[in-house]
Amino acid sequence: MSVSQNPSEAATSPQEREARYNPSEIEPRWQQRWAEQPELYAMEPASSNKPKYYVLEMLPYPSGQLHMGHVRNYAIGDALARYMWMQGHNVLHPMGWDAFGLPAENAAIKNNTPPREWTLSNIAAMKRQMDRLGLSYDWRNEVTTCLPDYYRWNQWFFIRMFEKGLAYRKKSKVNWCPQCATVLANEQVINGYCWRHEDQLVEQRDLEQWFLRITNYAQELLDDLGKLDGWPEKVRTMQQNWIGRSEGTEVEFDLEDSASAPEDEERERGKGTEVLPFLETSKKTGKKIAVFTTRVDTIFGATSVQLAPEHPLVKEFAASDEKLASEVTSLIEQQKKAREAGDIGEIEKHGVFTGHYAINPFSGERLPIWVANYILLDYGTGAIMSVPAHDERDYEFAKKYGLEVRIVILPRRTIDPETGKDAEPMLPYTAEDSLLINSGDFNTLGNEEAQKKMAAFAEEKGFGKATVTFRLKDWGVSRQRYWGTPIPMLYCEKDGIVPVPDDQLPVLLPDNVAITQENGSPLGRVPEFVNATCPKCGGPARRETDTMDTFVDSSWYFYRYTSAKDDKAPYDSDAIAYWFPIDQYIGGVEHAILHLIYSRFWTKMMRDLGLIKNDEPVQRLFTQGMVIKDGSKMSKSKGNVVSPDDMIARYGADATRAYALFAAPPDRDLDWQEDGVAGVSRFLSRVYRFVNRYAGYTGGAAQSTPASQALQRKLHQTIAKITIDFSGRWHFNTCIAAIMELVNTLTAAEPAIAAGEVSDAVLADTLRDLVLLLAPFAPYLSCELWEKIGGQGELLRTPWPKADESLAKEDAIEIPVQVNGKLRSVVRIAADADQDTTRDAALADEKIKAALEGKQVVKLILVPGKLVNFVVK
Ligand code: ANZ
Ligand code: ZN
């Protein structure tokens, strides 16, 4: 039976009569239905017999508005989650809010709204947007990091770490952003500027701070990068560089006992080394200077020892030497400026001779001790041996100050092939593959062997050892701000630092706190908060007023999703054993170091507390590209923001999401074009009308026909393509393009359908599978059409269609055959024909035979499946 049987409709064509696609009617209706089914997106318990799949998108900061970057991120995750449900998995697809942080305080100052109120209303607004987008989140396990039921566990972990010596307090030089009025972690300083304030240079200050001992895990964090083969290479490399492992040797130089401040003449003498005829023990002070070097093989070429300006020994020297003191002050100042400007690596080198000497333990030579502005206190030991002949920076320094340059390694082959003479290497000569000279007993050794032997020698003699240095520093977590997790520590005059007992957690963040941009934590100005009782002695105690870096919150939030309501523990360890590691994490590459190193550390720490078994939190990581508009990143500051609400109002959530997936492969940047959204919306409209037109259609053939087979072939090819993409690289743009092609094929088949040449069963199957294939990309439309075609059961739990290879097989394809680049014929061959078969088929063709008659084929160009070209003379 064909569709236009109703006589009252006979006057209009089916196209004119049929319903218009109206997402603003369809989508809210389904949104309402989904909201009434809390089980729809719920994870099943660990006892489920389905395979588990944990898909996670990075949780947003609740600014109040989703932007297109979010929409893109969530559209990718949502497509994957829906696909996995249809593949029969037990899916965990949660969402939450990274809700602490400075913007809430800034908004409070600006609008006079308390941070809590501002944050919670932003969350409500963004949640509405997410629901309107139709994202499949299990809201029953929503995590909001600014609420006490979450942050109490930050405090609980902090105390566990304190007990294990993993959380400690020390005075240190810190990065200070005057605009944030707080300390920043190293990771939050971008080329010397604040990560939140692009134009704000970060200052250095000395403050008592809480640190987490992430460096205990430096080696493991590095080693386990090797396990993360589901992570982008670039992210692993960034982490590796950030951890910055360096193998070398620590060597102790004796500090020689010298007279007080040197005369100017003596200062001049600092420019050379001299070998002491004999070393009297009385000449040694007993003090040692440890240096860290990666090239102990060059130690006989050391011509000075250099100290960081803030090295403790420098302070000692300067105490009795005013001239030195003032020079050191300016070196410190230069270093500070360079650090703040983020180019400490390129600092213009300055230094000053201290008038003191150190003794090279390998050679017994006395080396002048200098202070230099390019030596960093917090790397290695804060002191180096300077080897000008073999190190760029030392060379530059030595040239400037006239220090001796002494060659101690040479290329293995030094004979100049032209002159036959020994060639002097260009200085500084830094090659690893070289031989030692001028190095006492170590002469003629290869440099690698020398490094091993010399480190062993130093160890044996007790003045050094092989060591490893990391660039990674402990994580400073103290922030002098209000809107964060209170650090659960007390200071008692009698008992010192005392953690808040577990049964007094959470330490609640008080409301009604005046937020100002003055220095010092706003909590320090709340006496009810500060004044506490010592749990040990019952005497008065002062409460810590710093709050935790918000990166603490995001270090473990994804564990909490498995049991967000638990008030006895941060999570249920059995549930973690089931759900972890996360199967797929999706987010921006801007988190490659900060968040993704901290959360790896937190996982290892929790494992060592015996809470979990997994070593790593995330199995596979995907970093999506940026959303670009008019040539630059879509952002408020660029004024090129496209509002998701606007797009949804105009084209619907399905079109907006599908466009975000269609416009570019997800790992690439996406250039936002509204025309493109309109185009996707027109496509969805075609699908809508087509399915409506043929739902329940029964006017076709009862048996399989050639037209049916052609349709089936296209359908199964489409299924195969999309299925492969979902398990691999997620080129959703080509998935959606493939669905578009399928719809083109269907439209082109309409005359055949009308002529009854397509079997009813095949048409019905095609419609059904088309709806299923669209489900991850356009869930509203799919649900609507699923109902229309009488689909049984919940679409999301309907098995994903299976590609039938035999049906997908192309029987024959046509290949153009050229002679000297001119088209002469077309041959039909099997789609999977090999090269020889293709060539033979071309040669057997009558037209080609004629064209080649009497000519000599000099070359055959054959593009399999595409083209054959005979080049003839
Ligand atoms: C002598 C030497 C000779 C060095 C030579 C290099 C080449 P990486 O690889 O980054 O770990 N160094 C050590 N501590 C330093 C500090 N606090 N500030 C500035 N420079 C420091 O670099 C290690 C090398 O950097 C060390 O090896 C040391 O210079 C320098 F032919 O020692 B080397
Ligand atoms: Zn006490």
Side-chain angles (χ1 to χ4, degrees):
M1 204 172 76
S2 94
V3 267
S4 53
Q5 290 296 303
N6 186 335
S8 68
E9 287 175 351
T12 54
S13 74
Q15 276 84 348
E16 287 166 286
R17 195 184 65 251
E18 67 197 3
R20 222 168 45 84
Y21 170 53
N22 184 1
S24 59
E25 185 275 322
I26 296 172
E27 295 181 353
R29 183 153 45 74
W30 279 96
Q31 193 188 329
Q32 182 59 35
R33 281 177 63 172
W34 292 337
E36 288 158 7
Q37 290 171 267
E39 293 296 323
L40 186 58
Y41 303 134
M43 62 171 165
E44 294 168 32
S47 55
S48 162
N49 52 15
K50 299 173 182 168
K52 69 97 182 175
Y53 198 87
Y54 187 172
V55 54
L56 179 70
E57 298 115 55
M58 288 182 181
L59 86 178
Y61 178 78
S63 60
Q65 271 284 330
L66 288 187
H67 57 67
M68 280 306 173
H70 290 128
V71 172
R72 190 179 192 198
N73 186 191
Y74 308 149
I76 296 169
D78 200 59
L80 184 61
R82 289 174 183 277
Y83 173 76
M84 283 299 168
W85 264 303
M86 294 174 78
Q87 282 286 5
H89 286 72
N90 176 15
V91 175
L92 173 53
H93 187 216
M95 187 39 77
W97 312 97
D98 190 13
F100 272 138
L102 260 187
E105 287 184 57
N106 295 338
I109 294 168
K110 211 166 133 204
N111 318 326
N112 206 26
T113 346
R116 186 186 153 88
E117 216 170 278
W118 183 83
T119 305
L120 294 181
S121 80
N122 285 351
I123 288 175
M126 289 170 81
K127 200 167 168 180
R128 269 197 302 280
Q129 288 182 298
M130 287 182 176
D131 284 340
R132 181 61 188 84
L133 277 166
L135 300 169
S136 58
Y137 297 130
D138 183 357
W139 287 119
R140 297 183 312 172
N141 281 299
E142 179 178 3
V143 164
T144 304
T145 61
C146 68
L147 297 180
D149 66 355
Y150 183 77
Y151 70 67
R152 69 176 287 183
W153 300 110
N154 286 344
Q155 297 173 337
W156 186 86
F157 280 122
F158 192 93
I159 294 165
R160 299 290 86 79
M161 283 193 266
F162 177 74
E163 290 162 352
K164 289 219 149 206
L166 288 174
Y168 67 98
R169 202 169 145 81
K170 76 165 185 212
K171 186 164 199 143
S172 81
K173 204 158 282 307
V174 294
N175 307 302
W176 180 270
C177 171
Q179 283 195 57
C180 295
T182 187
V183 164
L184 304 179
N186 288 342
E187 289 82 349
Q188 292 161 341
V189 181
I190 318 285
N191 296 328
Y193 289 84
C194 172
W195 67 308
R196 290 193 170 283
H197 301 104
E198 283 183 7
D199 320 313
Q200 178 63 56
L201 276 174
V202 171
E203 298 174 0
Q204 303 287 309
R205 292 198 180 177
D206 273 314
L207 277 182
E208 282 269 337
Q209 296 289 303
W210 283 100
F211 287 86
L212 301 182
R213 222 179 279 281
I214 189 171
T215 53
N216 269 19
Y217 291 90
Q219 188 63 51
E220 199 194 336
L221 285 167
L222 184 66
D223 290 344
D224 285 357
L225 285 175
K227 295 185 192 166
L228 302 180
D229 51 7
W231 285 39
E233 190 59 45
K234 67 174 179 232
V235 172
R236 290 194 285 166
T237 306
M238 283 164 86
Q239 292 213 352
Q240 182 180 337
N241 293 339
W242 188 262
I243 296 166
R245 183 181 198 271
S246 193
E247 271 179 35
T249 312
E250 222 175 273
V251 182
E252 283 181 345
F253 287 58
D254 273 302
L255 175 64
E256 190 197 78
D257 191 10
S258 5
S260 46
E263 298 303 319
D264 282 352
E265 183 195 340
E266 163 104 33
R267 286 193 199 275
E268 274 304 304
R269 282 213 296 129
K271 293 179 181 174
T273 52
E274 16 171 321
V275 180
L276 284 182
F278 49 87
L279 196 63
E280 298 169 39
T281 29
S282 64
K283 281 287 233 177
K284 295 186 183 173
T285 53
K287 285 191 183 138
K288 312 271 187 190
I289 303 172
V291 308
F292 170 71
T293 175
T294 48
R295 293 299 301 269
V296 69
D297 54 314
T298 64
I299 196 165
F300 284 85
T303 57
S304 67
V305 163
Q306 309 208 340
L307 306 178
E310 288 166 287
H311 195 283
L313 211 50
V314 174
K315 245 168 242 152
E316 255 177 64
F317 295 159
S320 55
D321 184 345
E322 263 175 51
K323 196 161 175 182
L324 180 64
S326 86
E327 300 232 29
V328 167
T329 309
S330 72
L331 293 176
I332 291 177
E333 199 50 41
Q334 290 156 14
Q335 196 174 75
K336 189 173 149 191
K337 282 226 177 75
R339 243 187 224 265
E340 287 173 358
D343 52 21
I344 188 76
E346 286 97 60
I347 190 171
E348 193 191 329
K349 297 177 184 54
H350 292 290
V352 55
F353 175 50
T354 60
H356 296 261
Y357 290 84
I359 295 152
N360 183 336
F362 275 84
S363 63
E365 273 178 300
R366 50 201 306 257
L367 309 184
I369 301 174
W370 285 65
V371 186
N373 65 357
Y374 69 99
I375 310 301
L376 310 171
L377 183 66
D378 58 2
Y379 187 71
T381 59
I384 68 157
M385 61 176 202
S386 174
V387 185
H390 305 298
D391 180 89
E392 296 279 353
R393 294 178 308 168
D394 296 350
Y395 187 75
E396 190 186 329
F397 191 88
K399 282 284 158 200
K400 177 164 179 175
Y401 290 102
L403 296 169
E404 189 194 336
V405 179
R406 187 193 304 161
I407 297 175
V408 290
I409 54 175
L410 283 179
R412 281 179 190 272
R413 285 210 48 89
T414 57
I415 309 296
D416 186 321
E418 306 256 298
T419 63
K421 288 185 185 150
D422 260 5
E424 283 264 307
M426 266 259 287
L427 292 184
Y429 171 69
T430 59
E432 285 281 346
D433 184 26
S434 41
L435 295 175
L436 270 64
I437 59 164
N438 297 331
S439 298
D441 293 346
F442 300 93
N443 278 341
T444 74
L445 289 182
N447 70 296
E448 267 177 44
E449 195 187 352
Q451 280 173 21
K452 287 195 194 101
K453 290 212 160 131
M454 292 166 98
F457 179 75
E459 177 134 30
E460 183 192 315
K461 299 283 173 194
F463 56 73
K465 61 176 187 309
T467 57
V468 173
T469 290
F470 291 94
R471 191 177 164 253
L472 183 72
K473 297 276 167 289
D474 278 340
W475 176 12
V477 292
S478 292
R479 296 292 179 275
Q480 292 67 43
R481 300 308 317 159
Y482 162 69
W483 194 233
T485 304
I487 292 177
M489 290 289 159
L490 296 162
Y491 301 95
C492 167
E493 235 160 68
K494 221 178 109 229
D495 298 305
I497 299 177
V498 183
V500 174
D502 282 359
D503 61 9
Q504 289 175 28
L505 296 182
V507 176
L508 283 176
L509 192 60
D511 281 328
N512 302 322
V513 172
I515 296 174
T516 61
Q517 226 137 31
E518 285 168 58
N519 290 344
S521 172
L523 289 176
R525 295 185 287 272
V526 182
E528 311 85 87
F529 181 82
V530 176
N531 300 324
T533 308
C534 170
K536 276 199 179 156
C537 69
R542 184 173 56 80
R543 204 181 279 287
E544 170 64 67
T545 57
D546 284 354
T547 53
M548 294 183 203
D549 182 4
T550 58
F551 277 97
V552 168
D553 308 324
S554 51
S555 288
W556 69 280
Y557 75 100
F558 37 63
Y559 287 92
R560 184 74 180 164
Y561 283 140
T562 57
S563 52
K565 303 282 182 309
D566 197 334
D567 60 357
K568 301 282 180 296
Y571 42 70
D572 167 10
S573 296
D574 291 339
I576 301 303
Y578 174 76
W579 283 110
F580 276 76
I582 294 162
D583 296 276
Q584 184 67 61
Y585 197 15
I586 305 160
V589 73
E590 64 274 18
H591 297 292
I593 345 200
L594 295 149
H595 163 55
L596 289 170
I597 280 197
Y598 293 149
S599 48
R600 293 182 60 220
F601 155 65
W602 208 277
T603 290
K604 292 170 191 304
M605 176 275 289
M606 296 192 302
R607 177 203 60 199
D608 290 349
L609 290 177
L611 296 169
I612 59 173
K613 297 236 156 45
N614 51 304
D615 297 319
E616 287 287 337
V618 176
Q619 185 84 44
R620 290 174 56 91
L621 172 72
F622 186 86
T623 52
Q624 90 262 9
M626 289 189 303
V627 180
I628 308 282
K629 176 95 196 307
D630 308 327
S632 49
K633 180 177 173 175
M634 203 183 264
S635 78
K636 236 192 226 162
S637 61
K638 295 263 162 44
N640 59 357
V641 168
V642 175
S643 141
D645 288 347
D646 236 37
M647 290 293 113
I648 293 170
R650 233 174 283 176
Y651 305 103
D654 276 346
T656 306
R657 293 171 51 155
Y659 172 73
L661 297 175
F662 175 64
D667 55 339
R668 302 282 185 74
D669 288 350
L670 183 164
D671 186 18
W672 192 272
Q673 305 275 356
E674 192 169 331
D675 287 356
V677 193
V680 169
S681 156
R682 279 196 301 277
F683 160 66
L684 295 179
S685 165
R686 277 180 69 200
V687 174
Y688 178 79
R689 283 179 282 131
F690 190 91
V691 174
N692 269 287
R693 208 175 300 149
Y694 295 104
Y697 182 81
T698 54
Q703 259 112 48
S704 175
T705 60
S708 306
Q709 281 164 13
L711 203 53
Q712 266 182 325
R713 184 155 57 235
K714 187 75 193 172
L715 173 65
H716 285 271
Q717 287 169 348
T718 310
I719 298 171
K721 167 154 193 41
I722 298 176
T723 308
I724 287 170
D725 254 333
F726 260 112
S727 57
R729 55 196 189 136
W730 302 347
H731 279 193
F732 297 136
N733 52 330
T734 57
C735 290
I736 295 173
I739 301 177
M740 289 175 172
E741 271 185 46
L742 173 63
V743 173
N744 284 343
T745 305
L746 277 168
T747 315
E750 283 197 87
I753 298 171
E757 288 166 15
V758 173
S759 94
D760 286 341
V762 168
L763 183 59
D765 278 357
T766 309
L767 291 191
R768 181 176 188 278
D769 289 353
L770 169 65
V771 170
L772 294 174
L773 291 176
L774 260 184
F777 310 112
Y780 286 114
L781 176 60
S782 309
C783 281
E784 178 77 4
L785 294 178
W786 183 244
E787 211 167 65
K788 191 67 162 194
I789 62 174
Q792 294 297 303
E794 194 61 66
L795 174 62
L796 200 61
R797 301 292 192 284
T798 305
W800 185 255
K802 276 210 166 38
D804 183 330
E805 236 180 89
S806 62
L807 293 177
K809 222 176 200 165
E810 201 73 72
D811 296 324
I813 50 173
E814 298 194 329
I815 294 197
V817 183
Q818 307 173 337
V819 175
N820 282 353
K822 264 217 192 90
L823 180 69
R824 295 292 181 168
S825 186
V826 172
V827 292
R828 277 179 75 81
I829 53 165
D832 52 3
D834 62 13
Q835 301 213 5
D836 288 349
T837 319
T838 308
R839 184 201 53 213
D840 294 348
L843 286 172
D845 183 84
E846 290 304 325
K847 284 187 209 148
I848 297 301
K849 268 191 196 158
L852 295 181
E853 183 76 58
K855 307 219 167 71
Q856 189 198 346
V857 178
V858 292
K859 198 171 158 197
L860 170 67
I861 300 169
L862 199 153
V863 187
K866 290 261 159 23
L867 165 111
V868 180
N869 181 13
F870 294 100
V871 182
V872 298
K873 262 213 296 234

